[in-house]
Amino acid sequence: MYISAIGRLFGRPATPAASDDGLRQAAALLALLALAQVFLWSSAFGLTYSSPEIDSAEQFIWAFSLENGYWKHPPLPSWIMHGLLQVFGASVVLPFAATQLCIVVALALTWRLACEFMSPNRALIATLLTSLVTYHNIGGDAFNHNTVLLPFQAAAVLCFHFAARRPGWWRWGLVGLFAGLAMLVKYVALLPLAGLLLYLLLDRRMHCRRTLIGLLIAGAVFALVLLPHVIWLGRTDFLPFRYARSVTHALPGAAAIVRSLADFLLMQFLRLLPFLIGAAIVLRSARRFHAARASTEPPAHAAVGPLAAPDRLFLWIITLSPLLMTVAYGLASRAELQTRWGANCFLTVGVLLMATSRSIDSKSVLQRTVQVVAVGQLVLCLGLTLGKTVLANHLGHRTRANFPGAVLAQMSQQTWRNHTDVPLRLVVSDIWLGGNLIANSSRRLAVLIDGKHFKSPWVNQEAIADCGALILDDVTPDKAGHAAPNPELEALLERADASGTWTLPWARPERAPVGSHRGSVRWGVIKPITSGQCTLR
């Protein structure tokens, strides 16, 4: 079934080493390992984390309403979360599982691309090693625009490769579709898309009428996909771009630029380090296996010869261009490079490595790769989850992972019931507290973010009076010993019919003094003026 579906949609892999049996066996093993990764990380997060990460909390809030854009980002991740909430309901574990699914889908599409250049087994080795890049495992603790971008970027690159090498105008339409969807996830998708255009410029075989027509088709579909969002941008005075400017830190001089670049590249190296260690072990094992068993254990598939020059150019460009263009943007704009900007830069590093390495197609090497990757994933998983929960609790460190979200939700519902008979429909709070309430609530809640209507356009000006509202203000001391005030929340708390302060049991060691290492939340209840008038989208 899988092979026939692939054949209908994309055609057979170009490499002569890709037999139907080889594809079927590799695809089955890939599916099994992908499910194992989803289960491992989702279970670990679900069993240890008591709250979602802040980016996931943000998606819970935005998913209340299907908008054509949100004040910080394009809309597609929030649309996806909206659908997931409709089907599964809110829970702490939902964003963890959804994020891991995004990652493994991206890796599966990357494997299919790799099959164009090497045997299915070697492509599987490449994909498994790529899963060790920490953006593809540790980075899966938050359902955010970086992780959701991965499958759409992988799909755009895969479709582009097929469109450039196989006849069929509809393939260029798919390129435009997935490129547009990638941009609806995050604008940084423009960088890998620019890399694809760079490849077309450098590969002279692509300088023909057929490619030009294909690009026009892709561009038309791309524009149609983005049109509603572009209209929204115009109506909101390009709200996400204004937000991006407000959080961008301009560097004062050449020394600061060099320091920022060095810090960024160092962090990318550390993110890549598990992949490099795994690759070194596998390549060393491959040499040992081939030296010891060359006469007794032939390769499972015929070795693939050296890559053709256009294929080699394609792999180098799609692998290096996202990272190099990110660095170039930072240098040109003099903006401080953020670590997370490298999240979509490493999907094809394993493919490039395997495509430029000597033949390692034997079953023994594949088995060794599975073992290495399984151990690596387990170590990374336990290190992250236990470090942010069990160890943090023991040391009395507050983290997003050990925040008592369920306790906050219970206090909120009980306090609301103590002061009004109507259901709680509207919360006014920051992203963190509001998202935790949604994650631990069986009822649909709207959140007016920071009391600012432009951040939550689904909450109209009359909603607080019509629906009533629970006001929450996080006053937990930060590292500097104080919490930043919020004027909008302060004004609403002054209007409250009842108010007080909760103390949350947030990572307080048993022997610590009372009040230390605890969270503090001011609350206020504004009762609805009239019952039955609450309307929220």
Side-chain angles (χ1 to χ4, degrees):
M1 180 181 298
Y2 173 84
I3 298 301
S4 61
I6 288 291
R8 287 193 299 270
L9 186 57
F10 297 126
R12 285 187 46 77
T15 172
S19 66
D20 283 354
D21 287 342
L23 274 173
R24 189 176 294 110
Q25 292 172 7
L29 181 56
L30 175 65
L32 179 63
L33 294 173
L35 290 175
Q37 177 169 336
V38 173
F39 178 79
L40 170 66
W41 286 91
S42 300
S43 300
F45 287 134
L47 291 173
T48 58
Y49 279 41
S50 57
S51 62
E53 282 291 342
I54 191 168
D55 287 347
S56 300
E58 186 171 59
Q59 292 304 322
F60 275 146
I61 294 174
W62 290 355
F64 182 88
S65 176
L66 293 176
E67 305 290 329
N68 279 322
Y70 299 85
W71 69 285
K72 288 169 63 176
H73 289 297
L76 188 53
S78 304
W79 294 353
I80 295 173
M81 180 55 70
H82 178 88
L84 294 174
L85 290 172
Q86 295 296 314
V87 175
F88 300 104
S91 68
V92 172
V93 74
L94 176 64
F96 299 131
T99 300
Q100 290 301 319
L101 282 172
C102 287
I103 292 171
V104 298
V105 168
L107 291 173
L109 292 171
T110 302
W111 168 80
R112 180 59 187 84
L113 176 66
C115 289
E116 294 291 299
F117 311 107
M118 61 193 75
S119 72
N121 267 12
R122 203 198 305 192
L124 186 52
I125 292 171
T127 303
L128 291 174
L129 290 175
T130 304
S131 74
L132 291 177
V133 178
T134 59
Y135 288 119
H136 307 153
N137 43 71
I138 289 176
D141 68 345
F143 185 84
N144 58 27
H145 293 257
N146 291 325
T147 50
V148 177
L149 175 59
L150 295 176
F152 293 98
Q153 177 179 321
V157 172
L158 178 62
C159 291
F160 176 89
H161 181 269
F162 289 136
R165 284 162 171 73
R166 291 171 168 82
W169 302 120
W170 60 274
R171 301 183 196 278
W172 286 105
L174 286 179
V175 173
L177 172 63
F178 285 111
L181 292 176
M183 287 290 290
L184 285 180
V185 175
K186 195 171 184 179
Y187 302 130
V188 76
L190 187 62
L191 298 182
L193 296 179
L196 297 178
L197 295 179
L198 176 62
Y199 164 74
L200 290 182
L201 289 176
L202 296 179
D203 187 352
R204 293 184 177 181
R205 298 189 316 164
M206 298 291 104
H207 299 175
C208 60
R209 182 171 174 270
R210 174 178 173 273
T211 301
L212 178 60
I213 294 175
L215 282 176
L216 291 175
I217 293 173
V221 175
F222 178 82
L224 286 174
V225 171
L226 286 180
L227 182 59
H229 179 62
V230 171
I231 294 173
W232 176 87
L233 284 173
R235 289 175 176 173
T236 60
D237 194 22
F238 296 88
L239 196 54
F241 293 93
R242 288 190 282 132
Y243 163 77
R245 285 196 299 269
S246 70
V247 297
T248 299
H249 303 289
L251 298 171
I257 293 173
V258 172
R259 187 165 52 251
S260 172
L261 177 60
D263 290 343
F264 174 77
L265 293 178
L266 175 61
M267 289 305 301
Q268 303 317 307
F269 171 76
L270 294 177
R271 300 282 190 181
L272 200 60
L273 188 57
F275 162 81
L276 296 175
I277 294 173
I281 295 173
V282 168
L283 291 175
R284 182 179 179 182
S285 299
R287 289 192 294 268
R288 187 169 61 250
F289 282 135
H290 279 274
R293 304 181 183 181
S295 60
T296 59
E297 183 182 316
H301 303 284
V304 179
L307 288 177
D311 290 339
R312 190 163 56 249
L313 176 66
F314 177 78
L315 283 181
W316 277 104
I317 288 179
I318 65 169
T319 301
L320 296 182
S321 61
L323 183 62
L324 294 180
M325 289 184 180
T326 299
V327 171
Y329 166 78
L331 294 176
S333 64
R334 302 174 66 92
E336 183 179 1
L337 291 168
Q338 303 296 316
T339 300
R340 62 182 180 275
W341 291 357
N344 68 324
C345 295
F346 301 104
L347 271 177
T348 56
V349 289
V351 181
L352 180 62
L353 176 67
M354 291 299 104
T356 55
S357 301
R358 292 184 180 275
S359 176
I360 53 170
D361 294 64
S362 69
K363 291 181 179 179
S364 298
V365 177
L366 178 57
Q367 291 170 0
R368 180 62 168 166
T369 304
V370 172
Q371 295 168 358
V372 169
V373 171
V375 171
Q377 291 275 0
L378 187 60
V379 170
L380 291 168
C381 181
L382 293 178
L384 176 69
T385 55
L386 297 183
K388 294 181 73 170
T389 56
V390 176
L391 182 60
N393 286 330
H394 179 73
L395 298 175
H397 292 165
R398 292 193 300 261
T399 70
R400 299 290 186 187
N402 64 11
F403 178 78
V407 175
L408 174 70
Q410 184 179 13
M411 288 180 169
S412 299
Q413 292 290 347
Q414 185 60 52
T415 300
W416 182 260
R417 287 194 296 267
N418 290 341
H419 294 91
T420 178
D421 295 329
V422 301
L424 177 60
R425 297 282 306 280
L426 177 61
V427 175
V428 185
S429 72
D430 62 12
I431 288 170
W432 174 242
L433 297 181
N436 269 275
L437 287 189
I438 294 174
N440 292 279
S441 176
S442 59
R443 191 179 186 91
R444 191 165 178 254
L445 292 177
V447 176
L448 178 57
I449 302 171
D450 298 329
K452 300 177 179 179
H453 289 274
F454 79 90
K455 294 183 178 182
S456 301
W458 48 89
V459 180
N460 57 42
Q461 297 288 339
E462 296 77 27
I464 292 178
D466 293 340
C467 304
L470 177 66
I471 318 301
L472 299 179
D473 187 13
D474 186 357
V475 291
T476 302
D478 60 18
K479 293 180 180 179
H482 64 276
N486 184 315
E488 285 79 10
L489 295 183
E490 289 285 347
L492 290 172
L493 284 169
E494 291 179 0
R495 291 173 45 192
D497 299 295
S499 62
T501 301
W502 298 322
T503 300
L504 301 177
W506 191 1
R508 176 178 175 266
E510 293 182 0
R511 298 183 181 180
V514 174
S516 64
H517 297 280
R518 285 185 173 250
S520 298
V521 176
R522 294 174 62 198
W523 62 268
V525 171
I526 298 179
K527 298 179 182 179
I529 295 177
T530 57
S531 60
Q533 299 299 315
C534 179
T535 55
L536 292 166
R537 277 193 270 165

